[in-house]
Amino acid sequence: MTKVFFAVISILIFAASLHAEDDVVARVNSSVLTNKDLESQVDRVIVKTTFHRDVPIEKRKRFYDKAIEELIVRELQYQNGLENGLKPDKARVDAQVDKIKKRFNAEEYKASLEKAGMTEEMLRSQIEKEMVIQAIIAKKANEASPITETAIKDYYEQNISKYKQPETVKLRLISTKDEKKANDMLAKIKEGDDFGDIAHNMSEDDYRLQNGDIGYMHRGRLLPEIEDIAFNKMKVGELSDVIKADDKWFILKLEDKKPEHQLSFEETKDKLKKEMEAKQAQELNEKWIAGLKAKAKIEILLKTDSTDNAK
């Protein structure tokens, strides 16, 4: 129940709702969503979108549409879970409450609840709701039809041109901003010093931690000057001269080269299966939510830039 824990703990950690009036912003069938619900969801949307929550109040309003949509979907999922007879397990709820409490000392826990405008009973209700939502999502996911190998092979054959491995080169690389240093390093390698050792001890980029190994690269992923030499002018095992590119000096060693080739079904089937399962899950989820919305009475009372008063 990791998702449950993090969804609920964020209610205590992010407490913007403290400053919000508890006005109704939307109705979903017989349930109401309040301004506190909205502001708490805005906090979660902001963190997912921008990785921080220090957003000025006016900019917070830009997230209202997305937050209200997510609140409505979650409420519909919760109601659908209840309709399917799903109930939270009391022992698991107790465990989640205990897990949250352990994140705080007694005084911090009490203060966090107060800051979020909650009681422990309200916290338990949030956990119970989250458990029902996760359970109905899992139930719907399990209703998906298994992807057969025949279906995967048909998809592969219909899209075979998409599954080509482009020409790639495997390189070791040394870089520096000092031309003299680059020439000195090249001389050491030509005299017999190990390329990887020189890269590790003298190169000025993060690849030195891998002894200069940057792995396999296809066209378009390297600086043009380096790409031209690596793909067109070097043979496997060769060492380049000092190359100037992007105000730096580079030395390359070409360790392997693979021509473009068609990936076989066996090489791609595991990846294809995951892609097809993800696509199927997304389509089923969209159909499920659309069905819930079609049957529901949804009224949005908060006016935003792109919402009507009612749906």
Side-chain angles (χ1 to χ4, degrees), residues 42-58:
V42 167
D43 279 329
R44 291 189 282 273
V45 171
I46 287 172
V47 170
K48 287 188 293 184
T49 306
T50 67
F51 302 102
H52 61 81
R53 66 179 298 268
D54 295 325
V55 175
I57 185 66
E58 285 305 310

Side-chain angles (χ1 to χ4, degrees), residues 161-192:
S161 62
K162 291 170 55 178
Y163 301 104
K164 284 187 178 180
Q165 177 69 50
E167 181 184 13
T168 57
V169 290
K170 187 175 188 298
L171 295 172
R172 286 190 187 270
L173 175 148
I174 292 171
S175 70
T176 177
K177 293 182 179 180
D178 185 330
E179 182 181 8
K180 182 178 183 303
K181 182 180 177 181
N183 283 304
D184 288 345
M185 287 189 286
L186 180 62
K188 287 178 180 291
I189 296 167
K190 287 183 174 180
E191 289 169 3

Side-chain angles (χ1 to χ4, degrees), residues 2-12 44 74 126 130 134:
T2 302
K3 290 183 179 179
V4 175
F5 173 71
F6 285 108
V8 178
I9 192 67
S10 64
I11 296 167
L12 300 184
R44 291 189 282 273
R74 291 175 65 75
Q126 288 284 352
E130 190 66 30
Q134 295 300 326

Side-chain angles (χ1 to χ4, degrees), residues 11-12 15 17-19 36 107-120:
I11 296 167
L12 300 184
S17 57
L18 176 66
H19 306 291
K36 284 186 178 181
E107 289 184 4
E108 289 174 340
Y109 175 65
K110 182 180 178 181
S112 296
L113 286 174
E114 290 176 355
K115 187 178 180 182
M118 299 180 70
T119 64
E120 186 170 294

Side-chain angles (χ1 to χ4, degrees), residues 173-240:
L173 175 148
I174 292 171
S175 70
T176 177
K177 293 182 179 180
D178 185 330
E179 182 181 8
K180 182 178 183 303
K181 182 180 177 181
N183 283 304
D184 288 345
M185 287 189 286
L186 180 62
K188 287 178 180 291
I189 296 167
K190 287 183 174 180
E191 289 169 3
D193 284 13
D194 181 74
F195 188 102
D197 290 342
I198 296 293
H200 183 82
N201 295 317
M202 301 181 70
S203 188
E204 297 171 8
D205 56 63
D206 290 341
Y207 291 114
R208 67 183 181 80
L209 300 175
Q210 287 88 244
N211 294 334
D213 188 355
I214 67 171
Y216 282 94
M217 294 284 178
H218 57 72
R219 292 182 186 272
R221 295 192 64 191
L222 297 166
L223 291 170
E225 299 89 340
I226 292 176
E227 182 174 291
D228 177 55
I229 291 172
F231 279 91
N232 302 324
K233 299 176 181 177
M234 293 181 70
K235 296 179 181 179
V236 174
E238 281 189 342
L239 183 71
S240 74

Side-chain angles (χ1 to χ4, degrees), residues 21-38:
E21 296 296 328
D22 206 14
D23 297 330
V24 175
V25 297
R27 292 189 177 94
V28 182
N29 295 320
S30 60
S31 297
V32 297
L33 301 173
T34 69
N35 206 38
K36 284 186 178 181
D37 296 325
L38 173 62

